[in-house]
Every structure is written in C-alpha cells, then in structure tokens.
Amino acid sequence: MNDEDEHPLRYALVNELHARPSPRLKAPCTAVFLAVKEPRDAANRDRARDVAHLAELCARHGAPSPDTSAGHYTAQLGRHQLRWESHTEFVTYAAFAPGLPPRPFGPSAGAIFPEDWQHHAPGKRIAAVMIQVDFLPEDPAAIMPRLREWFAADSLASVWVLEEAAVVAGDFRIDPDGWMRFALFVKPGTQSGRIGRIVQRLTDLETYRAMSMLGLGGARQLTQQLNALDPQLNDILQGMADESRPADAVLHELLTVSARLERTATQQSFRFGATAAYEAIVMDRVASLRESRFMGGQMLTEFMARRYHPAMRTVKSAEKRLAAMVDRSERAGELLRTRVDVQRSAQNQELMVRMDRRADLQLRLQHTVEGLSVVAISYYAVGLLGYALYPVAHALHVDKAVMVAALTPLVVAGVWLAMRRIKARLHAGGH
C-alpha cells in the first residue's frame, strides 16, 4: 500500500479511537479522580502548563516525563496506576490503587494528589471523585448499613447496573475533604474490564455533570442582564407607535440595546453549546449503566429528574429567552428602518417639489433678465451706431434724431435675434 494513497489524518483518527481505553480493575480497589479547569477561557488555555503540572507529579514519584504535546498519558506511580487526559476545557487525573483505605473514603486514599501540588495547578478543581470498589455480599441487603453510614439518606441513589452485575451507590454530595463519594459493589467473578467501564462511566457522569452545570451560573447572570434589557426593549417597541418621537432617535436607542444583546449572545454561545453537549454525555453515561432499582432505593434517573434536569431546563430557558429578545430587536430594527426610509422618501419628494419650484422661478427670472439684457445692449448699440453714422447723416442732411429713431427698431431686432441664436447654441451644446 502506497502511503501517498492514505489520507494524512487517517491513522491519527483511528489511533484516537484507542487512545483512552477504560481501565481494567480488580476488586477490591480504590479510584481517585480529579478534573481541573481554568476558570476563564479554558478552551484557549496554554496546554503546555497542563503538561508541566503533570510532569511535576510524575517527577515526585520517579515516573517518566510526559511528551510536551501529549493529549493523554499513563504511568505507574508507586502502587497507583495514573491516567491523565486533556480535554477541550479541562484535564483529568485518575489514580487506581488495589485495596481499600483503612477508613472508608479516608483522606489517605487521595494522598496521591498532594494538596500543595493541587494548589499550584493551572486551574481549579471542577470535579473530585473517590470510588471504592468492593465485593457484593451474597445477601445484597448486607451493604445497606454501610450505605446509610457513608451517604446522606435524602439524596442517596443506589441501583443495580449492567443487568445486576454490580450495585452503585452515591449521594452526589461533597465530603469535608472535598471528595464526592461513590461505592461500587461487584459480584465475585466480574471481569476487570467491566469493573473499569463502570468506574469510567461514574467519573464521566460526575465530570460532565459538573461541566454542564457551569451553564447554570451563566444562565443566572444572563437572566439578570435580560431582566434589565427587557424593559428597555419594551419601551422602545411601544414608542415606535408614537409619531412625535423621531424615528432616528428611536432607532439609535434600539441599536444600543441590540448591540448589547448581540454581544451577550456571542459571549454565551460557546457555554450554551458546551452545556448541551455535556448534558447529552451525562444522560448517555446514565443510560449506559443500564440501571434497575435496588432495595427500593432512588435510581440515578430519578435523581437526575429531580435535581439535575431543572438546572438544565433553566439554562435552556435563558438561551431561548436571549434568542427571542435578539429576534425581537432585529424585527423592530427592520420596522424602524422601514419607517425611516419612508420618512426620508417623503422628505426627498418634498425636496424635489421645492427644487421644481425654484427651477421654475429661476426660469422666469432668466426670461426677465434676458429682456432687460436686450434693452441694455440695444441702448448701447444704438448710441455707438449714432456716433458712427453721424458723419453719414450730416452728409445726407438727415437729422441725427431721425437717424437714431430709424436705427432703434433694427438694432433691437438684431440684438434679440443674436440672443436667441446664442441661447439655442448653448442648449444644443448642453444636450
């Protein structure tokens, strides 16, 4: 096979499918997971800082340094298997260790990620999850006392997953040490790949839930902005019917509000799109667990319906409201521009009428001036001819007054004809 026949991205895209396989875990074990995100403009962050922070953790444990352009990385840090991944807006660290901590969900399990190292991260924790994987007793009811001890009863969700291959429990609360806890009880003989996929789905569920709910904070801020802009837009729309208000002034006010709406829509478009994508991933992860009710407890879908979906509906409502206000401002702008165009057309028509009147007046004035010009030129012409022909009149014994009187009609007629010919030539030259 000739390499020139291959698309330049074919191998890279295929390798991407296998770049992030689910871990293979054996019970009992502990999974500790972190997701770190820069608070502002995380999609355009300097990813070299993320790799440098990862390299610092690896150096502490004597592990090989990651490639500076790496998008994912795996290494063995002592008894922990580390998995690092870079995503569009965040990076994730997952550490898996065999066995369980001395105390359930004890802080020692998270010591693989030291506090001082976390403090110097190029971002802030958006998710921190600790998952304990243990064997499920023959009597599943035997785990209930532990669940009541570990989790808050009012928000506890406990379900069978993957056709009752395991039990997943968690309350989606953050403990005093900053970790969100999940307990996974698997039946003996459950394959390591299956356990790893369940853990992966739980960490994905929490990470993308947290990322999607960032849109809720933006939606609340957006709602406050829209609450301030909505009355202004309504006043402008109501004032459009007031003929006493100049359309140009109303249009200027509308453009100010429209500019703010468009700027807000541009700022929020990425977050709204990301929220929708993250929500879809959350629901996909819940569906992929194929849950069923365990001991009459609350299911993940029920928890999401009560606690998560209202937040997502708030985000979508704010997005729709923003889009509706942008549409209203655009339609109002079109109406105002039409009104301004009509008024300008009327003004232009009135101006044309005035120009016609002025042209007619100018024409009349021109005719008057032409008449006066003929008289003036004729007067001077008769005077000059009188002086020129005086010797002739004297020789012919003709009185000068008689001669001037005879010349006057002829001179006036000649001057008038000359003016007509000059006017005709000017008109012909203009055309």
Side-chain angles (χ1 to χ4, degrees):
M1 179 65 68
N2 192 340
D3 290 342
E4 295 180 355
D5 297 332
E6 300 288 355
H7 191 282
L9 296 179
R10 181 189 176 200
Y11 285 100
L13 295 176
V14 171
N15 293 335
E16 187 67 22
L17 297 175
H18 309 283
R20 298 176 176 88
S22 299
R24 304 183 70 85
L25 304 174
K26 294 182 180 180
C29 66
T30 303
V32 183
F33 177 87
L34 289 179
V36 179
K37 176 188 178 299
E38 288 193 6
R40 297 178 180 273
D41 198 19
N44 297 317
R45 68 188 185 278
D46 182 4
R47 296 173 186 266
R49 297 180 61 201
D50 297 334
V51 178
H53 191 237
L54 169 64
E56 181 184 345
L57 180 65
C58 295
R60 292 192 179 201
H61 296 273
S65 297
D67 185 0
T68 55
S69 61
H72 49 86
Y73 174 82
T74 59
Q76 192 69 32
L77 305 186
R79 59 191 297 269
H80 290 84
Q81 179 189 358
L82 177 70
R83 297 168 63 91
W84 175 87
E85 296 179 2
S86 177
H87 299 264
T88 302
E89 291 192 87
F90 58 92
V91 295
T92 60
Y93 295 82
F96 310 102
L100 300 174
R103 182 165 61 88
F105 299 101
S108 61
I112 183 63
F113 301 128
E115 291 186 4
D116 63 326
W117 173 82
Q118 293 187 50
H119 179 71
H120 293 95
K124 303 298 181 181
R125 288 196 310 185
I126 190 66
V129 182
M130 187 178 296
I131 303 175
Q132 288 191 176
V133 183
D134 203 351
F135 287 112
L136 182 67
E138 292 185 3
D139 181 10
I143 68 173
M144 294 305 297
R146 283 188 278 179
L147 298 184
R148 286 192 290 267
E149 178 185 354
W150 295 342
F151 304 112
D154 61 338
S155 58
L156 172 63
S158 54
V159 294
W160 287 107
V161 296
L162 303 183
E163 290 80 32
E164 299 189 359
V167 174
V168 169
D171 58 4
F172 293 92
R173 294 181 180 273
I174 300 175
D175 69 10
D177 296 316
W179 299 98
M180 183 171 290
R181 304 173 174 182
F182 287 99
L184 173 60
F185 296 92
V186 299
K187 289 183 176 180
T190 303
Q191 297 178 352
S192 59
R194 199 171 211 189
I195 297 175
R197 286 192 294 273
I198 296 175
V199 170
Q200 182 74 48
R201 289 164 186 171
L202 289 176
T203 56
D204 285 351
L205 171 61
E206 169 54 20
T207 302
Y208 290 109
R209 179 209 60 78
M211 291 297 300
S212 63
M213 292 192 71
L214 289 176
L216 179 61
R220 288 172 174 169
Q221 295 178 0
L222 175 61
T223 299
Q224 294 178 356
Q225 297 176 12
L226 296 183
N227 288 341
L229 291 175
D230 204 5
Q232 299 180 32
L233 183 58
N234 288 335
D235 291 342
I236 293 172
L237 295 177
Q238 293 176 3
M240 289 174 60
D242 187 358
E243 296 294 339
S244 62
R245 297 183 63 185
D248 288 342
V250 178
L251 182 59
H252 179 73
E253 295 177 7
L254 178 61
L255 289 177
T256 302
V257 175
S258 297
R260 294 182 61 183
L261 288 172
E262 289 291 349
R263 183 172 62 252
T264 302
T266 301
Q267 294 171 347
Q268 297 291 339
S269 60
F270 176 82
R271 180 50 51 202
F272 284 145
T275 297
Y278 294 145
E279 180 191 7
I281 296 175
V282 170
M283 301 317 299
D284 175 74
R285 296 302 185 267
V286 172
S288 65
L289 289 172
R290 301 197 296 277
E291 62 176 341
S292 57
R293 196 174 301 279
F294 173 75
M295 304 291 291
Q298 179 180 219
M299 299 177 65
L300 291 174
T301 50
E302 294 172 344
F303 178 88
M304 293 295 175
R306 292 178 53 201
R307 312 290 180 94
Y308 177 70
H309 288 169
M312 294 299 98
R313 284 194 290 268
T314 299
V315 176
K316 293 175 183 177
S317 175
E319 181 180 12
K320 291 180 179 178
R321 184 183 179 190
L322 175 59
M325 289 184 64
V326 170
D327 290 340
R328 285 168 59 197
S329 66
E330 289 179 352
R331 290 195 299 269
E334 292 176 358
L335 291 174
L336 273 176
R337 281 189 288 270
T338 301
R339 178 180 168 186
V340 170
D341 291 342
V342 170
Q343 290 182 353
R344 287 178 178 174
S345 297
Q347 292 173 357
N348 292 337
Q349 186 175 4
E350 183 179 355
L351 181 61
M352 293 298 294
V353 171
R354 292 179 180 177
M355 291 177 64
D356 289 342
R357 292 176 180 174
R358 290 179 181 177
D360 183 62
L361 180 61
Q362 186 177 4
L363 181 61
R364 293 180 182 179
L365 181 61
Q366 183 180 354
H367 289 313
T368 303
V369 171
E370 287 178 357
L372 294 175
S373 299
V374 169
V375 173
I377 294 173
S378 299
Y379 173 78
Y380 287 107
V382 170
L384 291 173
L385 287 173
Y387 285 112
L389 296 177
Y390 180 75
V392 177
H394 181 73
L396 296 175
H397 304 288
V398 177
D399 188 70
K400 181 180 179 180
V402 174
M403 183 187 64
V404 170
L407 286 174
T408 298
L410 297 176
V411 171
V412 171
V415 171
W416 182 80
L417 288 174
M419 293 289 290
R420 293 280 294 180
R421 292 185 67 181
I422 292 174
K423 184 178 179 180
R425 287 180 181 180
L426 290 177
H427 281 291
H431 291 297

